[in-house]
Amino acid sequence: MTEPLKVGVAGLGTVGASVVRVLKQKADAIAARAGRPIVVTAVSARDRGRNRGLDLDGVAWHMDPAQLARSKDVDVVVELIGGAEGAARACVETAIEFKRPVVTANKALLARHGVSIARSAEEADVPVGFEAAVAGGVPVIKTLREGLAGNDVTRVIGILNGTCNYILTRMEHDRIGFAECLSDAQKLGYAEADPTFDVGGFDAAHKLALLTSLAFGTETDVDGIYVEGITSITPFDLEMAEELGYRVKLLGVTTRTSGGIEQRVHLAMLPRDSAIARVDGVTNAVEIDADVVGALVLAGPGAGGDATASAVIADIVDIARGVKTPVFGVPAAKLAHPKRAPMGTHEGGYYIRLSVLDRPGAAAAIATRMAEQRISLRSIVQRGREPNFDRPSVEPVAVVLITYATNEAALRAALDAIEADGHIDGVPQVIRIEKR
Amino acid sequence: MTEPLKVGVAGLGTVGASVVRVLKQKADAIAARAGRPIVVTAVSARDRGRNRGLDLDGVAWHMDPAQLARSKDVDVVVELIGGAEGAARACVETAIEFKRPVVTANKALLARHGVSIARSAEEADVPVGFEAAVAGGVPVIKTLREGLAGNDVTRVIGILNGTCNYILTRMEHDRIGFAECLSDAQKLGYAEADPTFDVGGFDAAHKLALLTSLAFGTETDVDGIYVEGITSITPFDLEMAEELGYRVKLLGVTTRTSGGIEQRVHLAMLPRDSAIARVDGVTNAVEIDADVVGALVLAGPGAGGDATASAVIADIVDIARGVKTPVFGVPAAKLAHPKRAPMGTHEGGYYIRLSVLDRPGAAAAIATRMAEQRISLRSIVQRGREPNFDRPSVEPVAVVLITYATNEAALRAALDAIEADGHIDGVPQVIRIEKR
């Protein structure tokens, strides 16, 4: 057996602590798989005094992660600090400068600076592993980067944020509102005190940016992603979805269209018997459609210290085995500059919930505005209160429209016209229907 | 860019033809991913005259696959002949002898001779890829061999044979019998003229043997697998399963128990809302339970020329990239000799369908025999014909028992005693209930 591989872990949160613990507990088994012992020789974290339940005897402590990355004690740098800039970025860039392989769970950093990191990693001839950055312990990066080398990917759809999927699953199951559900999720530790990053769709967008680059061989383009969060969802929408044969998920979707690459994160209705629709709770799942293999589905724990540590350790073992795959599957110089398909050209069906003021001509006006944009309606459902046959109510009534495939620009034009007509109250709820 | 990687393809059936076609059609994209061009330089098949729709201009033709494996034109040998012995084995062994990396879809060969192949491949310092041998295009080998290096796997369960899953799904959906369904599957090309290998569970057993070695770091032990096929299944069993909240699948299961490694292939009832239970038709799916990551599910096309070719090409690209992972994840010398857990110690719940002769004391005798073996019954259902309150019928009646967890030896003893009592007609149907 050759020399041990010396690992420096920057960031000792739940994931970092789990990485250190598992590498020690399973040292023999991991050495057998890696072909050499793997030893944590250095760590870095802000608070040295905190009890993390780790035996760090003989492990060098660096206050500065970049210092750890420069240290002679370290062959591989594991960055688990997080954030697109600052200490995390400095740590990764220093490691590459010193020709040390990097393993990171940092989706924000790679979504923002992945291309320049890939370029400098190639110049330094060091691998960068980031399995842990997307879908926690699910090997979706490995599958896209290595397992589909003979394929052209056509679409990737994924449940990429466990917090959102937990909230949607519970709202559906317990028929409670978004705010109550979010507050529960925060109490249970499934949501942050400031939940914006998760429920606003931004976390999923960072992950989607990485999947897009791997799927289509393009430069990461996180600013090209259309992002909506889940805060507008109501129990009524979830009930209607159920009745119509759908389930509602926060999806990240990336597809090639004739107009370019369409990247989007938003609530979507999926046929209830599709594999992704059935994924509940904090589980993550990704479906990859590719021309040679067909459709693959991968699902598993998308978060949590141990599940994420599992992905980090797999990347470290790949490095110990000498695996050196280009960061985004092809050399950085070959990554294409992505042409963005504008959201207006998105094609698909829509669920639309309108709060319609119940007065003569409202229904006719709405139908006319849809027809003007050549949008065909598959169904119209009116709900929300008991019908009153004596006279129209002064209270608005919920009307749900399901459209056949149309495009987003036409739909937006129709909704603008309907709003301008003054027949509706508040903002229309629009949920895209994703094809199986 | 470096020298092209020269590939020899032995076996030009649907998979081989697809490999040759895709490598040519996507040469540029694959070269970008692999870091060098990949070119098919030699092929081997029995019938040279057959039109396979392939452009084989400039490609060397070898009548003997071992000759191809020896040829100087070849850097990597792709074996797609099949079978545990004969030409396939000679081809793979010759390739390794000549220090050429091997890619194979041959589960029978690896299930029988995987350990000796792993040993000689290590001595020759060449990799052996076999992603295509299990679950077609689904990257389950890569996941077990590389993606879970920090985990101890506790159980793998899988739908590993598309033919069986197609038959079971159709029987359930169309409420038709096994024989009729098999005959349809044969007409559609989903089942062979001699279906024994598939419907007898042997194909699934070969695949399971490979999953076991990867999951537990043990020598392949295909003879240690308990194998039952699907031929005994009836529409009545499927209806009862539905009523009881289960679905019936042919499963390969491998687990670590206190008594050793339990490997089994048989019909199993799964809770109908579990991920594996929902997998329909020719799709394959594998669930891996591991201590660090939790449960992963991978699903996708388990057969077909293109899906399998996708896996073959991914292995070739890994070889082009210089990846050299031990065949079963750890060096062959470290593979443990597996201790077999005898099937008698298997623990779990059971579905039992008895054809009971309707006479006084039958029910009491059956209940007594179960109690003697300390088997608790969760439910008893009597079905099959209209009740006759005037007098017992001379025709047997179907009685279904669902047991709480017990062990196989106790169950077999109870069933033997029930048979000896003479209250039942024919062979009891026994279907194991697999935990989520």
Side-chain angles (χ1 to χ4, degrees):
Chain A
M1 194 154 300
T2 49
E3 284 289 286
L5 184 77
K6 293 174 284 176
V7 174
V9 178
L12 288 180
T14 51
V15 179
S18 177
V19 168
V20 172
R21 188 167 44 242
V22 174
L23 282 177
K24 187 151 204 169
Q25 273 174 1
K26 306 201 167 193
D28 292 346
I30 291 172
R33 291 169 197 146
R36 56 195 288 200
I38 295 175
V39 188
V40 175
T41 51
V43 294
S44 172
R46 270 179 300 196
D47 181 0
R48 187 161 185 173
R50 206 169 119 207
N51 180 13
R52 298 174 176 87
L54 296 175
D55 173 13
L56 293 172
D57 249 25
V59 175
W61 187 286
H62 297 272
M63 292 307 290
D64 174 10
Q67 176 73 45
L68 175 144
R70 260 192 300 270
S71 150
K72 280 191 199 139
D73 305 337
V74 163
D75 300 320
V76 175
V77 176
V78 177
E79 183 275 306
L80 301 168
I81 301 161
E85 310 295 340
R89 186 176 179 190
C91 175
V92 168
E93 290 181 348
T94 305
I96 293 170
E97 191 189 325
F98 282 74
K99 297 194 186 301
R100 293 187 179 137
V102 170
V103 175
T104 177
N106 193 332
K107 52 238 165 207
L109 174 67
L110 289 173
R112 288 279 162 214
H113 306 296
V115 178
S116 75
I117 287 170
R119 268 193 216 110
S120 50
E122 263 166 50
E123 276 163 30
D125 195 29
V126 293
V128 175
F130 59 103
E131 186 62 81
V134 181
V138 187
V140 58
I141 302 298
K142 191 174 261 298
T143 297
L144 279 168
R145 195 157 82 160
E146 303 170 17
L148 295 172
N151 288 263
D152 288 321
V153 173
T154 49
R155 181 180 72 160
V156 181
I157 67 177
I159 294 177
L160 301 173
N161 183 279
T163 304
C164 290
N165 207 50
Y166 171 82
I167 290 173
L168 292 170
T169 306
R170 264 212 70 197
M171 282 180 67
E172 194 182 14
H173 188 264
D174 297 347
R175 306 196 177 260
I176 55 177
F178 173 78
E180 184 185 343
C181 205
L182 172 62
S183 149
D184 277 5
Q186 286 169 321
K187 279 177 211 144
L188 290 164
Y190 293 151
E192 308 277 342
D194 177 359
T196 318
F197 196 65
D198 289 316
V199 302
F202 306 107
D203 171 72
H206 282 149
K207 294 165 178 168
L208 185 68
L210 304 183
L211 296 181
T212 299
S213 290
L214 287 164
F216 302 130
T218 49
E219 295 171 357
T220 49
D221 180 24
V222 69
D223 293 325
I225 303 178
Y226 177 87
V227 183
E228 288 177 8
I230 65 168
T231 53
S232 69
I233 193 74
T234 68
F236 178 82
D237 296 324
L238 295 174
E239 269 172 53
M240 287 303 302
E242 190 178 343
E243 209 165 291
L244 295 159
Y246 295 108
R247 291 189 77 189
V248 179
K249 297 292 176 188
L250 181 76
L251 284 192
V253 181
T254 186
T255 48
R256 260 187 204 290
T257 72
S258 54
I261 290 175
E262 188 177 296
Q263 294 186 86
R264 46 198 168 84
V265 172
H266 53 69
L267 288 167
M269 293 203 181
L270 288 158
R272 80 163 28 249
D273 60 347
S274 64
I276 297 286
R278 291 159 159 177
V279 172
D280 284 340
V282 293
T283 302
N284 280 198
V286 173
E287 179 183 319
I288 303 167
D289 300 331
D291 60 345
V292 182
V293 74
L296 296 181
V297 176
L298 288 81
D306 281 353
T308 311
S310 169
V312 169
I313 292 170
D315 278 346
I316 297 173
V317 170
D318 272 351
I319 287 165
R321 283 171 171 168
V323 176
K324 220 181 276 175
T325 313
V327 178
F328 292 109
V330 295
K334 294 212 176 232
L335 290 170
H337 188 65
K339 187 183 170 205
R340 294 177 185 170
M343 199 58 195
T345 63
H346 167 70
E347 298 209 351
Y350 290 82
Y351 162 100
I352 301 149
R353 172 171 50 78
L354 302 170
S355 227
V356 178
L357 302 170
D358 200 358
R359 18 185 223 215
I366 290 167
T368 303
R369 293 310 191 184
M370 289 288 182
E372 280 170 4
Q373 296 295 333
R374 303 184 171 279
I375 298 169
S376 301
L377 298 177
R378 210 173 73 194
S379 62
I380 306 174
V381 184
Q382 179 169 326
R383 282 292 159 74
R385 59 179 165 69
E386 294 302 305
N388 181 336
F389 293 105
D390 296 332
R391 59 191 164 102
S393 164
V394 290
E395 302 229 327
V397 62
V399 172
V400 168
L401 312 174
I402 304 289
T403 78
Y404 282 105
T406 176
N407 70 71
E408 181 105 0
L411 185 91
R412 291 295 173 190
L415 290 178
D416 285 349
I418 290 165
E419 279 198 85
D421 288 342
H423 293 303
I424 63 170
D425 187 43
V427 180
Q429 168 77 301
V430 174
I431 302 180
R432 293 168 194 84
I433 298 171
E434 190 66 25
K435 269 184 290 191
R436 185 180 301 267
Chain B
M1 194 154 302
T2 50
E3 284 289 287
L5 184 77
K6 292 174 284 176
V7 174
V9 179
L12 288 180
T14 51
V15 179
S18 178
V19 168
V20 173
R21 190 168 42 243
V22 173
L23 282 177
K24 187 151 203 169
Q25 272 173 2
K26 307 200 165 192
D28 291 347
I30 292 172
R33 290 168 197 147
R36 56 195 289 201
I38 295 176
V39 188
V40 175
T41 52
V43 294
S44 172
R46 269 179 301 194
D47 181 0
R48 188 160 185 175
R50 204 168 121 208
N51 180 12
R52 299 173 174 88
L54 296 174
D55 173 12
L56 293 172
D57 249 26
V59 176
W61 187 285
H62 297 273
M63 293 307 291
D64 175 9
Q67 178 71 44
L68 174 144
R70 261 192 300 271
S71 149
K72 279 190 198 139
D73 304 338
V74 163
D75 299 320
V76 176
V77 175
V78 177
E79 184 274 306
L80 300 168
I81 301 162
E85 310 295 340
R89 187 176 177 190
C91 175
V92 167
E93 291 181 348
T94 306
I96 294 170
E97 192 189 325
F98 281 74
K99 299 196 185 301
R100 294 190 177 135
V102 170
V103 175
T104 176
N106 193 331
K107 51 239 166 205
L109 174 68
L110 289 172
R112 288 279 163 211
H113 306 297
V115 178
S116 74
I117 287 170
R119 268 194 216 110
S120 50
E122 264 167 45
E123 277 163 31
D125 196 27
V126 292
V128 175
F130 59 103
E131 186 61 81
V134 182
V138 187
V140 57
I141 303 298
K142 191 175 263 297
T143 298
L144 280 168
R145 195 157 82 160
E146 304 169 17
L148 295 172
N151 288 263
D152 287 321
V153 174
T154 51
R155 182 180 70 159
V156 181
I157 66 177
I159 294 176
L160 301 173
N161 184 278
T163 304
C164 290
N165 207 51
Y166 171 82
I167 291 173
L168 293 170
T169 307
R170 264 213 69 198
M171 281 181 68
E172 195 182 14
H173 188 263
D174 296 348
R175 307 200 177 258
I176 55 176
F178 173 77
E180 183 185 344
C181 206
L182 172 61
S183 149
D184 276 7
Q186 286 170 320
K187 278 178 211 143
L188 290 163
Y190 292 151
E192 307 278 341
D194 177 359
T196 316
F197 196 67
D198 289 316
V199 301
F202 306 108
D203 171 71
H206 282 148
K207 294 166 178 168
L208 186 67
L210 305 183
L211 296 181
T212 299
S213 290
L214 288 163
F216 302 130
T218 50
E219 295 171 358
T220 49
D221 180 24
V222 68
D223 293 326
I225 302 178
Y226 176 86
V227 183
E228 289 176 8
I230 66 168
T231 54
S232 70
I233 193 74
T234 67
F236 178 83
D237 297 324
L238 296 174
E239 269 173 52
M240 287 303 303
E242 189 178 342
E243 209 166 290
L244 294 158
Y246 295 109
R247 291 189 78 189
V248 180
K249 297 291 177 189
L250 180 77
L251 284 192
V253 181
T254 186
T255 48
R256 260 188 205 288
T257 73
S258 53
I261 289 175
E262 188 177 297
Q263 295 186 86
R264 46 197 168 86
V265 171
H266 52 69
L267 287 167
M269 292 203 181
L270 289 157
R272 79 163 27 249
D273 60 345
S274 64
I276 297 287
R278 290 159 161 178
V279 172
D280 285 338
V282 293
T283 302
N284 279 199
V286 172
E287 179 183 319
I288 303 166
D289 299 333
D291 61 345
V292 181
V293 74
L296 297 182
V297 176
L298 290 81
D306 281 353
T308 311
S310 169
V312 169
I313 292 170
D315 278 346
I316 298 173
V317 170
D318 271 352
I319 288 166
R321 283 170 170 168
V323 176
K324 219 180 278 176
T325 313
V327 177
F328 292 109
V330 296
K334 295 214 176 230
L335 290 171
H337 188 65
K339 188 183 170 206
R340 294 178 187 171
M343 199 57 195
T345 63
H346 167 70
E347 298 209 351
Y350 289 82
Y351 162 100
I352 301 149
R353 172 172 49 80
L354 302 171
S355 225
V356 178
L357 301 169
D358 200 358
R359 22 186 220 214
I366 290 167
T368 304
R369 293 309 191 183
M370 288 289 182
E372 281 170 4
Q373 296 295 332
R374 304 184 173 279
I375 299 169
S376 302
L377 298 177
R378 211 173 72 193
S379 61
I380 306 174
V381 185
Q382 180 169 324
R383 280 292 157 75
R385 58 179 165 68
E386 293 304 304
N388 181 337
F389 294 106
D390 295 333
R391 58 193 163 103
S393 164
V394 291
E395 302 228 328
V397 61
V399 172
V400 168
L401 312 174
I402 305 290
T403 78
Y404 283 105
T406 177
N407 70 70
E408 180 105 359
L411 185 90
R412 291 295 174 190
L415 290 179
D416 285 350
I418 289 166
E419 280 198 82
D421 288 341
H423 293 302
I424 62 170
D425 186 44
V427 180
Q429 168 77 300
V430 174
I431 303 179
R432 294 169 193 84
I433 298 170
E434 189 67 26
K435 269 183 291 191
R436 186 181 300 268

